[in-house]
Amino acid sequence: MRLVNRVLRDVQLKRPIPRLRAPLGFFCSQPCAIDVGYCVVRASHGIRPFSISPSLRSVADHDLIHPELSHISKPLAQTGVASQQTTNRSLVQETRAFQRWGALLMDPARLAVESDFFRQGPAKEWPRRLLVDMFVNYGDLALWTCLLDYQVRVNGPAGVLHVWRALWGRKTLYDVDSPLADAFWRIILEGALLSDDLSILDNIWVYSEWMYDLHRVKWPQLYITIIKHLLRTHQHQRVLQWHLRLTPNFYPGPDEFAKIIKEFALDKALNELDTLPSLYKTSPKKELYNALLPYLFDRGESRLARKWRRVFIRHGEAPLAPAPIRPFLRFMAGYYPNDKLTRKELAALKFTPEVMDDKKSDLSRELMNRVHGRTFGITVKNYNDRLGAKWFASSWVSLDVAISTISALGIEKIGPLSLQSIALRARSSGDLLNRMSQLREHGISVIDSNYFQLVLYLARQSDDELLYDLLQSDLHPDVFDDLNLQTRLIDSTTDISDWRTLRLLLVSRLVIYERSARRAANGVLRLRFLQRDQEGVLQILEDMKARNIPLNVEEASHIYDSLIEDYNGSRRVLNAQPAAFYLSIFRQLKSMDVPVPLSHWKLIMLSMARRGRQEDLERLSVELVDMFIHSQSLRPGFVPIHTWDLPEAMKGPLGGVENLLGVYIPQDIPTNHDNHPLRELFNSKVLTEMIENAFIAHPGQGFRAVPDTQPYGRQSQPWQIANIVRLLRTLNERGMWIRFRKIQFVVTNCLVNIYGPASPTDVSPRLMRESNTLTLKQMRDLIEEAWGSRLLPPLHKLAVVIQTRSPGATLDSRPLEYRIKDKNEGLLDG
């Protein structure tokens, strides 16, 4: 084995070579480390290591929030502008790969002579031919690699170019299959890419064409390495030129091309100039739909995914597998219905049939089949799990056909044996989860049992090995529901050292324990909530979060329904104590990624506004805006939304999904989108009531004139008015879309109640008018200062508006020309 740390006393290095190993992208981004790129051939105790990054997997319907998954963090790989991904092939090499040139590796003097290809140094007086010029060594890649290794260690990047010039003049090498081939050709190519001489890369392309034309071999990773380097360094024109140049003979195939596009899909500079779409449009095979769209959507890049989808549709692409693309299509159908889905996209989106209303008859397919059977004299036959298991296990029929057939027969539940047959035909845990989703789409559920929960648990944990052992086990599914029998089996398997079966039984006990803990925790939570024990409820929720115990949908719904009952029972205003009780619970649920309906947040906000709790309202409003725009959920790039707040087009397909807490939606939805959560949370009615309640004197408050040098006291009426205006400005600055003219109109309406010619009919506005001591100018200056810029018209125009506008006017009651002007109102520039 070669000792790399041995001191070579007769070799004088021109510069120190750091012993770092990094991919090519590292050298491109850090020019000062350019000499590091050529340590790849050096051996460390006889080994030449290279790293390989693992690929990411996806799971079906990962946008849905189930209780079992609400506590699980879903970290995504942090993808930068140029995420570093290495090649799939390992380049680990040993010294023995150099074959008969192993001794030459340890002779630096001879290496100096043999690598002096142009005889301008040590080989100038050498009496014999160089080894690379001998016929017997023609095409010897191991020899060239020895010389390259020496030149890299001594001269760094210049040494690589020196070897390339010698190879370019001789054209004696075309070996791409030997163990050293990948390392050799890659170092040469990287040296050309990092060189300032662009002609070297052109020469490499000519040489690679010579290799392919004459010897029918391809330069390893030529297309991938060049295109990645040019994309990483943002050479937009050159990358397209080289793509067109290399595609005819060196196109790596649709899979490798998709990996390149995915690696740089989030690069903003490349997206601004449409570099990647240009590569796609000029590629020979267009098969990116299923690879790129789920990848982008999983990272919360819905805008970019929509942009790419339009490109794919124009080029005739369609989804090939429904499960990975379904979350994106479901999002598109709900939030962008004007982007019409194609026929194949609609087929991929097909989900559970619409659920009948509880008041209507349950006309299920099974009931209709029973009616037809009674009509034609056919006796009812219940689903036989053993027979169904044989049907699903039949290799002569695909699983898709088997599931569709069972669905057509009206079967709505299958047993554990049928589940076992389906799981045995699944290729992996992810495939099994996709099949479970497919069953749900057809309205078919699995009878709940410990065996079913164990299969589901192992699939979600991606433990393919243990899942396969479970499916191949001789244990009947009913065994996992009999704790006494399990205890005896654990003792017997321990005695006979059947560790595989013992492991299955112990894991099943773990799943059973988790289910028991979940039932107990949710039961205690219900009890504490009924007692209105705020500290106890928060402690239980905190413990559930820490122990990864899911919150049941029933318990979440009970909390939400209780808020509605308390709100309606207290004359549509929550007092301080219940408001604080529910708010603390909702904040804890938010930290668990359990979505709270927007209507419930609004009830608490409006209660604060009606009771004059401006400081609490300000804190909560800013918190909610940050939650939907800036805060990180357990799934970065997404925000959880309750099913009540989804667009109608999304509610239908999700109607048959059981135990659904909510849905994750991308956080990059524009805040001016009609269905953005903040548009519903701070809708026109809520904003109007927030502003109007600020102009009402609450207990302990009132208008009073103060000198210009004296600030208004906290909780005084002027302070409250200024605070609500300042809050709206703050929300707008934090990213929330606000219709400026609506704010201006409501504020002016409030001024009409105070300064208008007619006295308000309602008691609260009339009391506000009577207690006011501020002049119109003082009030306008107060509001303008709080807004930070001009909100109201000049004083003389404002006075005219106040005198002419009738109390209680709305935007829609104004003349048509004013309403047209407001139609396309955008964000306030400030």
Side-chain angles (χ1 to χ4, degrees):
M1 306 295 284
R2 184 182 175 195
L3 302 177
V4 298
N5 293 326
R6 177 180 176 182
V7 179
L8 305 178
R9 300 179 181 177
D10 56 343
V11 176
Q12 297 293 329
L13 301 181
K14 290 187 176 181
R15 68 191 74 180
I17 306 297
R19 296 298 309 281
L20 301 178
R21 287 168 173 82
L24 177 61
F26 176 81
F27 315 131
C28 299
S29 60
Q30 302 193 25
C32 61
I34 194 170
D35 292 346
V36 213
Y38 306 102
C39 298
V40 291
V41 185
R42 301 185 64 178
S44 177
H45 303 290
I47 302 295
R48 286 152 175 78
F50 283 78
S51 62
I52 301 176
S53 58
S55 59
L56 297 174
R57 298 183 301 103
S58 60
V59 179
D61 293 329
H62 40 264
D63 60 327
L64 305 184
I65 306 174
H66 292 277
E68 296 81 359
L69 300 178
S70 62
H71 60 285
I72 300 176
S73 176
K74 301 178 178 67
L76 293 177
Q78 296 299 324
T79 307
V81 170
S83 58
Q84 307 301 333
Q85 296 181 3
T86 57
T87 181
N88 291 332
R89 289 195 290 175
S90 173
L91 296 180
V92 176
Q93 306 293 347
E94 296 186 4
T95 305
R96 64 170 177 266
F98 290 90
Q99 302 171 2
R100 60 194 178 104
W101 304 111
L104 181 62
L105 285 172
M106 308 306 301
D107 190 350
R110 184 65 182 274
L111 285 170
V113 172
E114 296 298 340
S115 61
D116 184 16
F117 304 107
F118 304 102
R119 294 182 176 269
Q120 297 175 350
K124 190 174 183 179
E125 304 296 334
W126 188 254
R128 290 177 296 184
R129 299 179 64 186
L130 299 178
L131 290 175
V132 295
D133 293 328
M134 295 181 182
F135 180 77
V136 68
N137 298 326
Y138 181 86
D140 192 330
L141 183 72
L143 172 60
W144 280 95
T145 306
C146 286
L147 303 178
L148 176 63
D149 179 46
Y150 172 79
Q151 284 293 323
V152 167
R153 287 188 288 112
V154 176
N155 297 313
V160 177
L161 300 182
H162 177 69
V163 174
W164 162 247
R165 293 187 182 96
L167 181 62
W168 168 251
R170 288 169 172 80
K171 286 191 175 62
T172 59
L173 204 59
Y174 52 87
D175 180 6
V176 297
D177 298 322
S178 65
L180 296 171
D182 280 347
F184 178 85
W185 296 111
R186 178 176 298 180
I187 293 173
I188 295 294
L189 183 54
E190 289 178 353
L193 290 172
L194 297 177
S195 173
D196 295 332
D197 188 354
L198 300 181
S199 63
I200 296 179
L201 189 59
D202 293 333
N203 292 339
I204 282 183
W205 172 64
V206 174
Y207 192 97
S208 63
E209 291 286 356
W210 168 81
M211 291 170 59
Y212 182 73
D213 182 64
L214 196 60
H215 302 283
R216 311 310 296 176
V217 296
K218 295 183 178 182
W219 187 304
Q221 303 289 311
L222 181 67
Y223 179 95
I224 295 175
T225 306
I226 293 178
I227 297 301
K228 279 188 176 183
H229 171 77
L230 297 177
L231 288 173
R232 189 177 294 115
T233 54
H234 297 162
Q235 301 183 50
H236 305 279
Q237 293 184 348
R238 289 192 69 204
V239 70
L240 185 57
Q241 293 172 355
W242 277 96
H243 167 74
L244 296 174
R245 179 181 291 182
L246 296 173
T247 294
N249 291 331
F250 301 99
Y251 183 71
D255 292 338
E256 290 296 330
F257 182 76
K259 291 179 181 178
I260 296 175
I261 299 297
K262 286 167 64 177
E263 181 176 348
F264 296 94
L266 304 182
D267 191 319
K268 295 182 179 179
L270 297 176
N271 289 321
E272 289 175 358
L273 297 178
D274 286 341
T275 304
L276 297 180
S278 298
L279 295 181
Y280 166 78
K281 294 173 185 178
T282 53
S283 61
K285 293 186 178 180
K286 296 175 175 55
E287 300 176 4
L288 267 181
Y289 189 105
N290 263 73
L292 188 59
L293 292 187
Y295 174 83
L296 294 175
F297 188 73
D298 288 349
R299 281 149 184 78
E301 297 288 342
S302 66
R303 299 189 194 185
L304 198 55
R306 289 181 61 223
K307 175 183 175 181
W308 273 103
R309 176 188 169 271
R310 289 192 289 267
V311 176
F312 295 151
I313 295 302
R314 284 197 295 267
H315 288 81
E317 282 213 59
L320 302 177
I325 197 63
R326 185 178 296 118
F328 172 67
L329 295 179
R330 187 160 47 220
F331 167 77
M332 289 287 297
Y335 284 86
Y336 294 96
N338 292 332
D339 293 356
K340 299 299 182 182
L341 301 181
T342 64
R343 181 177 56 84
K344 292 184 178 180
E345 288 177 327
L346 291 173
L349 185 59
K350 186 179 64 173
F351 215 90
T352 308
E354 185 176 356
V355 179
M356 297 292 182
D357 190 87
D358 292 339
K359 298 181 181 179
K360 298 180 181 179
S361 300
D362 184 13
L363 298 178
S364 64
R365 291 171 305 215
E366 187 172 1
L367 177 62
M368 292 302 299
N369 288 344
R370 291 174 183 268
V371 173
H372 292 160
R374 190 180 299 114
T375 302
F376 295 102
I378 303 174
T379 58
V380 175
K381 297 180 177 60
N382 294 323
Y383 178 75
N384 188 309
D385 194 29
R386 290 186 178 275
L387 184 60
K390 293 181 179 179
W391 168 250
F392 285 115
S394 301
S395 59
W396 59 271
V397 62
S398 67
L399 269 179
D400 295 326
V401 174
I403 293 174
S404 299
T405 303
I406 291 295
S407 175
L409 292 176
I411 304 300
E412 296 181 344
K413 285 185 179 293
I414 61 174
L417 295 177
S418 298
L419 172 65
Q420 184 182 41
S421 298
I422 294 174
L424 283 170
R425 296 185 65 180
R427 295 183 296 272
S428 62
S429 298
D431 191 23
L432 174 58
L433 292 175
N434 290 339
R435 292 298 180 185
M436 298 293 294
S437 176
Q438 185 179 4
L439 287 172
R440 188 169 64 246
E441 295 168 21
H442 286 81
I444 302 173
S445 60
V446 181
I447 297 175
D448 192 20
S449 64
N450 288 337
Y451 181 82
F452 167 62
Q453 294 297 330
L454 180 57
V455 170
L456 203 59
Y457 172 84
L458 295 176
R460 285 172 174 163
Q461 295 295 324
S462 300
D463 193 342
D464 290 345
E465 179 182 357
L466 191 56
L467 177 60
Y468 183 76
D469 290 342
L470 172 64
L471 299 175
Q472 293 288 349
S473 172
D474 295 333
L475 297 176
H476 191 276
D478 293 343
V479 171
F480 297 94
D481 292 315
D482 191 335
L483 293 180
N484 294 328
L485 178 58
Q486 284 187 51
T487 302
R488 296 196 299 270
L489 287 174
I490 289 176
D491 295 337
S492 63
T493 53
T494 304
D495 294 338
I496 63 175
S497 301
D498 186 359
W499 308 122
R500 177 177 298 180
T501 305
L502 177 62
R503 185 185 177 198
L504 283 176
L505 293 172
L506 293 178
V507 172
S508 69
R509 281 295 182 91
L510 174 63
V511 175
I512 294 173
Y513 165 76
E514 289 185 352
R515 296 187 70 190
S516 300
R518 173 178 171 180
R519 284 195 297 268
N522 281 273
V524 174
L525 175 64
R526 172 70 69 100
L527 177 62
R528 292 284 186 262
F529 183 81
L530 292 176
Q531 296 172 345
R532 290 300 190 267
D533 182 359
Q534 178 176 338
E535 184 176 350
V537 170
L538 295 180
Q539 184 62 48
I540 290 294
L541 289 174
E542 185 64 33
D543 290 343
M544 293 174 68
K545 178 182 178 182
R547 299 172 185 271
N548 291 337
I549 299 177
L551 174 68
N552 285 344
V553 175
E554 295 79 10
E555 304 308 321
S557 300
H558 177 71
I559 294 174
Y560 303 149
D561 294 340
S562 298
L563 172 62
I564 300 296
E565 294 176 2
D566 292 349
Y567 180 79
N568 293 333
S570 58
R571 297 184 179 181
R572 303 176 65 81
V573 175
L574 288 175
N575 295 325
Q577 185 174 356
F581 174 68
Y582 284 107
L583 183 58
S584 61
I585 294 177
F586 289 173
R587 282 173 170 155
Q588 184 63 38
L589 294 179
K590 180 173 71 72
S591 70
M592 301 167 64
D593 261 19
V594 176
V596 177
L598 298 178
S599 58
H600 291 56
W601 288 116
K602 285 194 294 185
L603 292 182
I604 295 179
M605 291 169 54
L606 292 177
S607 296
M608 291 177 176
R610 290 163 185 167
R611 291 187 291 111
R613 307 286 296 183
Q614 285 293 315
E615 292 181 326
D616 295 337
L617 177 62
E618 179 180 2
R619 270 194 302 270
L620 180 58
S621 299
V622 172
E623 179 183 343
L624 292 175
V625 169
D626 287 344
M627 178 180 72
F628 288 109
I629 298 179
H630 306 295
S631 299
Q632 288 255 335
S633 65
L634 296 181
R635 188 181 179 196
F638 288 80
V639 61
I641 295 295
H642 197 275
T643 52
W644 297 354
D645 304 313
L646 293 174
E648 290 299 327
M650 289 185 69
K651 292 181 181 179
L654 298 175
V657 182
E658 300 177 355
N659 298 324
L660 185 62
L661 287 169
V663 174
Y664 283 105
I665 65 170
Q667 214 166 14
D668 68 342
I669 300 177
T671 56
N672 61 349
H673 191 286
D674 290 340
N675 289 319
H676 193 282
L678 291 178
R679 288 292 300 276
E680 174 61 25
L681 193 59
F682 294 91
N683 58 22
S684 179
K685 180 180 179 180
V686 172
L687 291 176
T688 299
E689 191 157 350
M690 288 172 59
I691 297 173
E692 289 178 348
N693 278 280
F695 281 83
I696 294 177
H698 298 278
Q701 299 174 345
F703 284 99
R704 60 186 179 88
V706 296
D708 294 339
T709 58
Q710 181 180 350
Y712 292 104
R714 299 182 68 84
Q715 300 302 330
S716 66
Q717 192 65 47
W719 175 88
Q720 185 169 280
I721 294 174
N723 191 66
I724 194 64
V725 175
R726 191 181 302 111
L727 171 61
L728 295 175
R729 175 71 182 188
T730 300
L731 298 182
N732 179 246
E733 291 173 346
R734 298 181 86 90
M736 190 182 86
W737 185 87
I738 287 182
R739 190 181 180 190
F740 166 67
R741 208 169 299 278
K742 173 67 178 179
I743 304 301
Q744 183 189 62
F745 192 87
V746 175
V747 170
T748 306
N749 269 0
C750 294
L751 297 180
V752 170
N753 290 332
I754 300 175
Y755 302 100
S759 178
T761 58
D762 295 338
V763 176
S764 296
R766 188 168 64 249
L767 292 176
M768 175 181 61
R769 178 188 180 99
E770 293 173 355
S771 61
N772 174 43
T773 58
L774 298 180
T775 65
L776 180 60
K777 180 180 184 306
Q778 289 176 319
M779 181 67 73
R780 181 182 179 278
D781 293 343
L782 175 72
I783 295 173
E784 296 284 272
E785 181 181 358
W787 185 255
S789 60
R790 189 176 68 84
L791 175 64
L792 300 173
L795 184 61
H796 65 282
K797 292 185 178 180
L798 178 61
V800 173
V801 172
I802 291 175
Q803 294 300 318
T804 57
R805 182 179 297 180
S806 59
T810 62
L811 282 173
D812 294 334
S813 65
R814 296 178 305 152
L816 179 62
E817 61 268 18
Y818 291 99
R819 284 183 276 142
I820 295 176
K821 187 176 182 181
D822 291 337
K823 183 178 181 181
N824 298 318
E825 186 68 38
L827 284 172
L828 175 65
D829 296 328

